[in-house]
Amino acid sequence: MFSRSLKTGLIAAFMATSSTAAMADNLGAAIVGGIIGGALMNEHNKTKRRTTTSTRYSATRAHNRETQTSLNYFGFNAGTPDGVMGSRSRAAITQYQIYVGFPATGRLTQYERDFLVSSYNRAQVGGPQVIKAMQGPEGTRSLLKTWHGEATGGRMAGNTYNGMPADVSAAVDEVAASSDPSAEQLLQRSGFIQLADLNGDGKTDYILDTSKSGSTFWCGAQSCTVMVFASTPQGYSRNDFLSHDATPALFACHQGVCRMNGQGAGAQMAATPAPQPAAPSQGGTVMASGSAPLGGITLFNTGQARDTGPSLASLCSKVSLLTNSNGGFTTVSNLTDPEFALNEQFCLARTYAIGTGETIVAGLSGVTPAQVDAQCDAFGPALEPFLAKLATTPASGVVSEAQAFVLKSNMSIEQLSGTAKICLFSGYRRDEMQVSLGSALLMVAMGQKPYAELIGHHLAQGFGVATSQDRAQEWYMMAIEAMEGGAEPVFAPGQPERVQLLRTAVTAGGSSMVTPQPAAALPSFNLGD
């Protein structure tokens, strides 16, 4: 149902100049009010009353716009989200109430509105469940029935799986919706459902391990979502965790609140075998095996280590230490090491990407961090065919193919943009480079060229992709030329000479950075300035 509007919006975005401001996320509005004082007390009081009324009015309008936007998203036509709840908005509310099963009054109760808006925010994260709904006959509105069933216990007594609580049965359906096995088949898999009394109240608690589903939607490179349902007097409380190998010993609960045990966390780390030491030492520290990489200096293993590839988080920690010891960031005037200057800017861009995504996630309701991470872990596999070409294919060619993917996604530009920013945060926060790269590429494909800087950094340093200085410079220059042409910077916009520093560092690399050929024109869309 979004195909036509998506294509129209995407083409318009691509045909616009790079000076066009970045598309707003529409995930919330900040309402700021103040009181204007006066010289006379009575004038002060009048002004205070007027300002208070204006503030309340503005807050109400923002509140109503959020409701109208949510109604429109789920296919209940409330008209233009102007904050005025007229007859069209009331008719849309009635349709929404009838569809979900609420009393058809045309006016929302607090619960009905909270469920509507939280469902809209949850849908903005995207993921297989949302895409599957979009492709169904009812479109995104079918999510309302699915999620309302989850919120209210879904299945009634007699319709649950094997007599399990309704909340647990609904979670089984949720996992099955993004997995090949059916719910009944999942329940037959050893370890998918584990029973234990985790909070000591004498009632059965449930552990649902999504690693047994075989679904990449619920699992990342190192861990999978584990849902723990702890019994309370009011019903079952769900707690989501990320774990490699879930067992009852891994969790402890107090009433409905659960945590991972310290020994459990250690077991999770030990799930990936660490290299065996060459010989033990008396103090518990062991000599590192293998060659000494620092000119004969012998290193020591002082803790568990896992071979998970290069860590961007580790690099940025070292870069930050060096930056502080140098008295601040490299500038154009004191640039002597182009590679280090680019590393500083890479880590700075990473910090900004994490901050932006964290702000968006904070505005979402009804979505847990584990759900965000689990959905974002599907980004890497979905965009892997394009990421595999980054080191071998000209940047313009990869962008062109990614644009075709965007056009076929049946997701709105706003949803894709918000999801990509959230997943940049999720990927960089967890050092999941495929998630971060896929998110950055998606932003570039939607016309946000300044994000091409991230891909240039990844290609230059080899994080999540094979190193290619030639291709790195193409992506660097795509971002630099866009910002020089007026595109709004997305990383460290307050640094006036940052673009000049990037250009100087990229072009000063000598033989490691060759001058790229002019990018060929894209076959369908003009992303130029």
Side-chain angles (χ1 to χ4, degrees), residues 1-2 65-81 88 92 116 120 140:
M1 63 182 290
F2 286 93
R65 282 196 297 270
E66 189 176 40
T67 301
Q68 291 168 326
T69 298
S70 301
L71 287 167
N72 287 336
Y73 176 81
F74 290 112
F76 306 106
N77 185 11
T80 302
R88 179 177 293 184
L116 172 67
Y120 168 75
T140 55

Side-chain angles (χ1 to χ4, degrees), residues 55-311:
T55 302
R56 285 199 299 265
Y57 178 72
S58 298
T60 299
R61 290 285 291 267
H63 182 275
N64 291 342
R65 282 196 297 270
E66 189 176 40
T67 301
Q68 291 168 326
T69 298
S70 301
L71 287 167
N72 287 336
Y73 176 81
F74 290 112
F76 306 106
N77 185 11
T80 302
D82 55 7
V84 179
M85 302 299 283
S87 58
R88 179 177 293 184
S89 295
R90 288 193 294 273
I93 289 172
T94 300
Q95 294 170 6
Y96 156 68
Q97 290 172 324
I98 293 173
Y99 181 79
V100 180
F102 298 131
T105 64
R107 297 186 181 279
L108 294 170
T109 66
Q110 187 62 48
Y111 173 79
E112 291 168 355
R113 188 207 178 258
D114 288 346
F115 173 70
L116 172 67
V117 174
S118 66
S119 295
Y120 168 75
N121 290 335
R122 181 175 177 180
Q124 298 312 295
V125 180
Q129 192 176 24
V130 176
I131 295 176
K132 181 179 179 180
M134 287 180 171
Q135 296 171 346
E138 292 186 316
T140 55
R141 67 171 55 183
S142 64
L143 295 168
L144 293 171
K145 287 186 175 179
T146 300
W147 291 339
H148 185 249
E150 293 178 5
T152 58
R155 301 168 179 269
M156 296 295 102
N159 284 330
T160 58
Y161 294 117
N162 301 329
M164 293 189 302
D167 290 348
V168 181
S169 295
V172 172
D173 286 337
E174 183 181 354
V175 176
S178 57
S179 309
D180 289 333
S182 66
E184 291 77 7
Q185 290 171 329
L186 285 174
L187 290 170
Q188 295 175 5
R189 294 193 173 185
S190 176
F192 177 70
I193 290 284
Q194 301 177 52
L195 310 180
D197 182 6
L198 300 175
N199 56 10
D201 64 354
K203 298 181 180 179
T204 300
D205 302 316
Y206 297 83
I207 300 172
L208 195 157
D209 185 358
T210 65
S211 68
K212 309 302 181 182
S213 70
S215 171
T216 57
F217 171 67
W218 294 100
C219 294
Q222 301 173 13
S223 59
C224 297
T225 298
V226 178
M227 306 174 191
V228 179
F229 292 85
S231 60
T232 71
Q234 294 76 33
Y236 278 83
S237 176
R238 171 172 161 177
N239 301 257
D240 284 9
F241 300 94
L242 290 175
S243 174
H244 180 75
D245 188 16
T247 63
L250 189 62
F251 306 100
C253 301
H254 176 67
Q255 297 181 355
V257 179
C258 302
R259 62 175 176 82
M260 296 181 70
N261 291 319
Q263 61 268 32
Q268 179 189 9
M269 294 292 290
T272 301
Q276 295 296 318
S281 68
Q282 295 179 352
T285 302
V286 297
M287 300 289 292
S289 59
S291 60
L294 300 178
I297 298 176
T298 301
L299 301 180
F300 296 88
N301 288 334
T302 56
Q304 294 286 340
R306 292 184 296 170
D307 184 14
T308 58
S311 167

